[in-house]
Short mmCIF file of all heavy atoms in Angstrom, two decimals:
data_model
loop_
_atom_site.label_atom_id
_atom_site.label_comp_id
_atom_site.label_asym_id
_atom_site.label_seq_id
_atom_site.Cartn_x
_atom_site.Cartn_y
_atom_site.Cartn_z
N GLU Q 44 -14.66 -27.25 37.15
CA GLU Q 44 -15.43 -28.30 37.81
C GLU Q 44 -16.90 -28.18 37.37
O GLU Q 44 -17.40 -27.11 37.05
CB GLU Q 44 -15.35 -28.12 39.32
CG GLU Q 44 -16.08 -29.13 40.16
CD GLU Q 44 -15.85 -28.97 41.64
OE1 GLU Q 44 -15.13 -28.03 42.06
OE2 GLU Q 44 -16.39 -29.74 42.40
N THR Q 45 -17.62 -29.29 37.36
CA THR Q 45 -19.05 -29.30 37.10
C THR Q 45 -19.75 -30.00 38.21
O THR Q 45 -19.17 -30.86 38.91
CB THR Q 45 -19.40 -30.02 35.76
OG1 THR Q 45 -18.95 -31.36 35.83
CG2 THR Q 45 -18.76 -29.30 34.57
N SER Q 46 -21.02 -29.64 38.44
CA SER Q 46 -21.80 -30.24 39.54
C SER Q 46 -23.27 -29.88 39.34
O SER Q 46 -23.61 -28.92 38.63
CB SER Q 46 -21.32 -29.72 40.87
OG SER Q 46 -22.12 -30.19 41.93
N ASP Q 47 -24.15 -30.59 40.01
CA ASP Q 47 -25.57 -30.23 40.11
C ASP Q 47 -25.88 -29.54 41.39
O ASP Q 47 -27.02 -29.14 41.66
CB ASP Q 47 -26.43 -31.47 39.95
CG ASP Q 47 -26.42 -32.01 38.52
OD1 ASP Q 47 -26.44 -31.22 37.59
OD2 ASP Q 47 -26.40 -33.23 38.35
N ASP Q 48 -24.88 -29.37 42.27
CA ASP Q 48 -25.08 -28.79 43.62
C ASP Q 48 -24.48 -27.39 43.67
O ASP Q 48 -23.31 -27.18 43.93
CB ASP Q 48 -24.36 -29.71 44.65
CG ASP Q 48 -24.66 -29.34 46.10
OD1 ASP Q 48 -25.10 -28.17 46.33
OD2 ASP Q 48 -24.43 -30.13 46.95
N LEU Q 49 -25.34 -26.40 43.48
CA LEU Q 49 -24.92 -25.00 43.45
C LEU Q 49 -24.37 -24.54 44.79
O LEU Q 49 -23.33 -23.88 44.88
CB LEU Q 49 -26.05 -24.09 43.01
CG LEU Q 49 -25.71 -22.60 42.94
CD1 LEU Q 49 -24.55 -22.33 41.99
CD2 LEU Q 49 -26.98 -21.80 42.54
N ASP Q 50 -25.05 -24.91 45.85
CA ASP Q 50 -24.60 -24.51 47.22
C ASP Q 50 -23.18 -24.99 47.51
O ASP Q 50 -22.35 -24.23 48.03
CB ASP Q 50 -25.51 -25.04 48.31
CG ASP Q 50 -26.86 -24.27 48.29
OD1 ASP Q 50 -26.92 -23.13 47.88
OD2 ASP Q 50 -27.84 -24.91 48.74
N TYR Q 51 -22.89 -26.20 47.14
CA TYR Q 51 -21.54 -26.79 47.31
C TYR Q 51 -20.50 -25.92 46.56
O TYR Q 51 -19.43 -25.57 47.11
CB TYR Q 51 -21.52 -28.22 46.81
CG TYR Q 51 -20.14 -28.76 46.54
CD1 TYR Q 51 -19.30 -29.16 47.59
CD2 TYR Q 51 -19.65 -28.88 45.24
CE1 TYR Q 51 -18.01 -29.64 47.32
CE2 TYR Q 51 -18.40 -29.35 44.98
CZ TYR Q 51 -17.57 -29.71 46.05
OH TYR Q 51 -16.29 -30.18 45.78
N LEU Q 52 -20.80 -25.58 45.30
CA LEU Q 52 -19.84 -24.81 44.50
C LEU Q 52 -19.66 -23.39 45.03
O LEU Q 52 -18.52 -22.89 45.07
CB LEU Q 52 -20.34 -24.75 43.02
CG LEU Q 52 -20.32 -26.09 42.29
CD1 LEU Q 52 -20.98 -25.94 40.92
CD2 LEU Q 52 -18.95 -26.69 42.16
N LEU Q 53 -20.73 -22.76 45.46
CA LEU Q 53 -20.66 -21.41 46.04
C LEU Q 53 -19.75 -21.42 47.25
O LEU Q 53 -18.89 -20.54 47.44
CB LEU Q 53 -22.04 -20.86 46.38
CG LEU Q 53 -22.92 -20.50 45.20
CD1 LEU Q 53 -24.34 -20.20 45.66
CD2 LEU Q 53 -22.36 -19.33 44.39
N LYS Q 54 -19.93 -22.41 48.14
CA LYS Q 54 -19.11 -22.48 49.37
C LYS Q 54 -17.66 -22.80 49.03
O LYS Q 54 -16.74 -22.20 49.57
CB LYS Q 54 -19.70 -23.52 50.30
CG LYS Q 54 -20.97 -23.07 50.97
CD LYS Q 54 -21.59 -24.15 51.84
CE LYS Q 54 -22.95 -23.74 52.33
NZ LYS Q 54 -23.61 -24.82 53.03
N LYS Q 55 -17.46 -23.77 48.17
CA LYS Q 55 -16.12 -24.22 47.84
C LYS Q 55 -15.24 -23.09 47.26
O LYS Q 55 -14.11 -22.93 47.62
CB LYS Q 55 -16.14 -25.38 46.86
CG LYS Q 55 -14.77 -25.88 46.46
CD LYS Q 55 -14.83 -27.11 45.58
CE LYS Q 55 -13.44 -27.58 45.20
NZ LYS Q 55 -13.48 -28.76 44.37
N TYR Q 56 -15.85 -22.29 46.35
CA TYR Q 56 -15.10 -21.23 45.71
C TYR Q 56 -15.33 -19.87 46.35
O TYR Q 56 -14.83 -18.87 45.85
CB TYR Q 56 -15.43 -21.20 44.23
CG TYR Q 56 -14.94 -22.48 43.51
CD1 TYR Q 56 -15.78 -23.55 43.29
CD2 TYR Q 56 -13.62 -22.60 43.14
CE1 TYR Q 56 -15.36 -24.71 42.67
CE2 TYR Q 56 -13.17 -23.77 42.54
CZ TYR Q 56 -14.02 -24.80 42.31
OH TYR Q 56 -13.56 -25.95 41.72
N LYS Q 57 -16.04 -19.86 47.46
CA LYS Q 57 -16.33 -18.61 48.22
C LYS Q 57 -16.92 -17.53 47.33
O LYS Q 57 -16.42 -16.40 47.27
CB LYS Q 57 -15.04 -18.14 48.91
CG LYS Q 57 -14.51 -19.16 49.91
CD LYS Q 57 -13.25 -18.68 50.56
CE LYS Q 57 -12.81 -19.71 51.58
NZ LYS Q 57 -11.48 -20.15 51.48
N LEU Q 58 -17.97 -17.91 46.61
CA LEU Q 58 -18.65 -16.99 45.71
C LEU Q 58 -20.05 -16.69 46.20
O LEU Q 58 -20.59 -17.41 47.01
CB LEU Q 58 -18.72 -17.59 44.31
CG LEU Q 58 -17.38 -17.89 43.63
CD1 LEU Q 58 -17.61 -18.68 42.34
CD2 LEU Q 58 -16.61 -16.62 43.34
N SER Q 59 -20.66 -15.64 45.65
CA SER Q 59 -22.06 -15.32 45.94
C SER Q 59 -22.88 -15.56 44.67
O SER Q 59 -22.33 -15.80 43.62
CB SER Q 59 -22.17 -13.86 46.37
OG SER Q 59 -21.93 -12.99 45.27
N MET Q 60 -24.20 -15.43 44.80
CA MET Q 60 -25.09 -15.62 43.65
C MET Q 60 -24.80 -14.61 42.56
O MET Q 60 -25.15 -14.80 41.40
CB MET Q 60 -26.54 -15.49 44.10
CG MET Q 60 -27.03 -16.72 44.88
SD MET Q 60 -26.92 -18.27 43.89
CE MET Q 60 -28.15 -17.95 42.65
N ALA Q 61 -24.12 -13.49 42.89
CA ALA Q 61 -23.77 -12.49 41.89
C ALA Q 61 -22.77 -13.05 40.86
O ALA Q 61 -22.58 -12.47 39.79
CB ALA Q 61 -23.17 -11.27 42.54
N HIS Q 62 -22.13 -14.17 41.19
CA HIS Q 62 -21.15 -14.81 40.30
C HIS Q 62 -21.75 -15.96 39.50
O HIS Q 62 -20.99 -16.69 38.86
CB HIS Q 62 -19.93 -15.25 41.12
CG HIS Q 62 -19.24 -14.10 41.72
ND1 HIS Q 62 -19.48 -13.73 43.01
CD2 HIS Q 62 -18.37 -13.19 41.19
CE1 HIS Q 62 -18.74 -12.65 43.28
NE2 HIS Q 62 -18.07 -12.31 42.19
N VAL Q 63 -23.05 -16.11 39.57
CA VAL Q 63 -23.73 -17.18 38.81
C VAL Q 63 -24.35 -16.55 37.56
O VAL Q 63 -25.19 -15.67 37.66
CB VAL Q 63 -24.80 -17.88 39.67
CG1 VAL Q 63 -25.53 -18.92 38.85
CG2 VAL Q 63 -24.20 -18.50 40.92
N LEU Q 64 -23.95 -17.03 36.43
CA LEU Q 64 -24.46 -16.55 35.13
C LEU Q 64 -25.44 -17.54 34.59
O LEU Q 64 -25.11 -18.71 34.37
CB LEU Q 64 -23.29 -16.34 34.14
CG LEU Q 64 -22.16 -15.47 34.66
CD1 LEU Q 64 -20.99 -15.52 33.67
CD2 LEU Q 64 -22.64 -14.05 34.87
N ARG Q 65 -26.68 -17.12 34.39
CA ARG Q 65 -27.73 -18.03 33.87
C ARG Q 65 -27.81 -17.92 32.37
O ARG Q 65 -27.89 -16.84 31.82
CB ARG Q 65 -29.05 -17.66 34.54
CG ARG Q 65 -29.07 -18.05 35.99
CD ARG Q 65 -30.45 -17.91 36.60
NE ARG Q 65 -30.54 -18.56 37.87
CZ ARG Q 65 -30.08 -18.03 39.01
NH1 ARG Q 65 -29.52 -16.85 38.99
NH2 ARG Q 65 -30.19 -18.68 40.14
N TYR Q 66 -27.87 -19.08 31.74
CA TYR Q 66 -27.98 -19.14 30.30
C TYR Q 66 -29.32 -19.74 29.91
O TYR Q 66 -29.83 -20.64 30.55
CB TYR Q 66 -26.86 -20.06 29.72
CG TYR Q 66 -25.50 -19.43 29.90
CD1 TYR Q 66 -24.75 -19.68 31.06
CD2 TYR Q 66 -24.97 -18.61 28.94
CE1 TYR Q 66 -23.51 -19.08 31.23
CE2 TYR Q 66 -23.70 -18.03 29.10
CZ TYR Q 66 -23.00 -18.29 30.26
OH TYR Q 66 -21.76 -17.71 30.42
N LYS Q 67 -29.87 -19.24 28.83
CA LYS Q 67 -31.12 -19.77 28.24
C LYS Q 67 -30.77 -20.66 27.09
O LYS Q 67 -29.77 -20.42 26.41
CB LYS Q 67 -32.01 -18.65 27.79
CG LYS Q 67 -32.60 -17.79 28.92
CD LYS Q 67 -33.53 -16.74 28.35
CE LYS Q 67 -34.08 -15.93 29.47
NZ LYS Q 67 -35.02 -14.91 28.94
#
Side-chain angles (χ1 to χ4, degrees):
E44 180 175 1
T45 60
S46 175
D47 288 321
D48 188 343
L49 180 58
D50 289 332
Y51 162 77
L52 294 173
L53 289 171
K54 288 176 188 173
K55 180 176 180 179
Y56 293 97
K57 299 179 178 129
L58 299 172
S59 70
M60 286 299 293
H62 296 97
V63 178
L64 306 173
R65 289 189 167 80
Y66 293 89
K67 292 183 179 181

